[in-house]
Amino acid sequence: MNQNINQDTAPAATVVGFTAADFKSSYKPIWCPGCGDFTVLSSVTKALAIMGVPPKDCAVVSGIGCSSRIPAYTTCYGFHGVHGRSLAAATGLKVARPDLQVLVAGGDGDGYSIGGNHFLHACRRNVDMTYLVMDNHVYGMTKGQPSPTTEPDWDSKLSPGGTGVRVFNPLVVALASGANFVARAFAGDLHGTADIIAKAMQHPGFSFVEILSPCVTFRPEQRDWRKLVRAAELQATDDAGRAARRLMSDDGLNIGVLYAGDRTPYPASVRPARRSVAELEAEFAL
């Protein structure tokens, strides 16, 4: 693994007072042995320690899928939503509680298939939150069906001969839709991934990080990603046109911050409550 994988931006400094252990819950992860999501979880807790935000001031939101288990494995507030709706829930939370650090975790099926429309509009709205997608090019939780990022010629029992369908390009779509920060990380690089996640959380607006996270159960060939990923040769740019040209010719294995824009985030404003919680609960009393 290239040790200079994050040379495009200065490393984030660890804030004294928190360690990764402070953000790990007592629940034991139940992913398949060798799953990349184990390391992603460690990168997430390390990034939260870098940010120095107390667990009570951070919320982790997810949808459905292997990677969407992450909220339960942290000590932050968590919301495990329905399939594909994590960004909708997270958007409402961040707008209502702009004081919270909101992190969204999901997979390529949850985020790009049933959740695809929410992905487009979350990028467009540019609400200040961070979206992590653990992409393994397969539906790992439901026995290995092709996902939107599965190669068209990937042959399996559930798609003999491959789907023949062009892959979805999430980074290009995110950039075109208005995401203010676009990056790619690799689960096998714990510290590099943590650093990229921290940079994403520090950047204003909607930040999107694709994390290549091998599914060794249904895509064992993805173990080779460790040998194939490399640090992006060019530094991050704030020029959307330049970033688009880079991403359109990208082979999906360049790691680092690829775009860091300067769009103004969606203005979150909290108005005084017009009614108390007790009054609202009274309306639903039986």
Side-chain angles (χ1 to χ4, degrees), residues 68-238:
S68 292
R69 297 179 182 275
I70 281 185
Y73 303 144
T74 76
T75 55
C76 303
Y77 284 107
F79 184 85
H80 197 166
V82 296
H83 203 188
R85 306 305 190 265
S86 59
L87 287 171
T91 297
L93 174 61
K94 182 62 181 183
V95 172
R97 288 288 306 276
D99 56 304
L100 293 177
Q101 180 77 54
V102 177
L103 188 67
V104 189
D108 44 303
D110 180 72
Y112 308 147
S113 184
I114 190 170
N117 197 46
H118 291 294
F119 177 50
L120 298 179
H121 294 289
C123 294
R124 180 177 68 89
R125 293 187 183 101
N126 199 31
V127 173
D128 188 19
M129 59 187 185
T130 299
Y131 186 33
L132 309 178
V133 176
M134 281 138 271
D135 193 348
N136 52 23
H137 302 181
V138 72
Y139 281 90
M141 191 178 73
T142 51
K143 309 308 179 186
Q145 302 95 323
S147 82
T149 54
T150 301
E151 301 83 346
D153 59 350
W154 181 62
D155 183 69
S156 69
K157 293 181 180 179
L158 297 178
S159 59
T163 64
V165 179
R166 180 178 177 176
V167 297
F168 181 80
N169 192 327
L171 278 72
V172 171
V173 172
L175 179 67
S177 300
N180 211 32
F181 181 98
V182 178
R184 182 187 291 119
F186 171 55
D189 179 21
L190 188 158
H191 300 296
T193 298
D195 198 59
I196 289 176
I197 294 172
K199 290 185 176 78
M201 289 192 287
Q202 290 167 350
H203 196 82
F206 184 80
S207 296
F208 167 60
V209 182
E210 176 188 64
I211 305 176
L212 300 178
S213 182
C215 176
V216 297
T217 298
F218 295 108
R219 302 293 306 265
E221 70 277 11
Q222 291 176 349
R223 294 178 186 273
D224 291 338
W225 278 350
R226 179 177 292 276
K227 305 174 184 177
L228 299 173
V229 296
R230 56 190 174 275
E233 294 182 359
L234 301 176
Q235 292 186 350
T237 178
D238 60 358

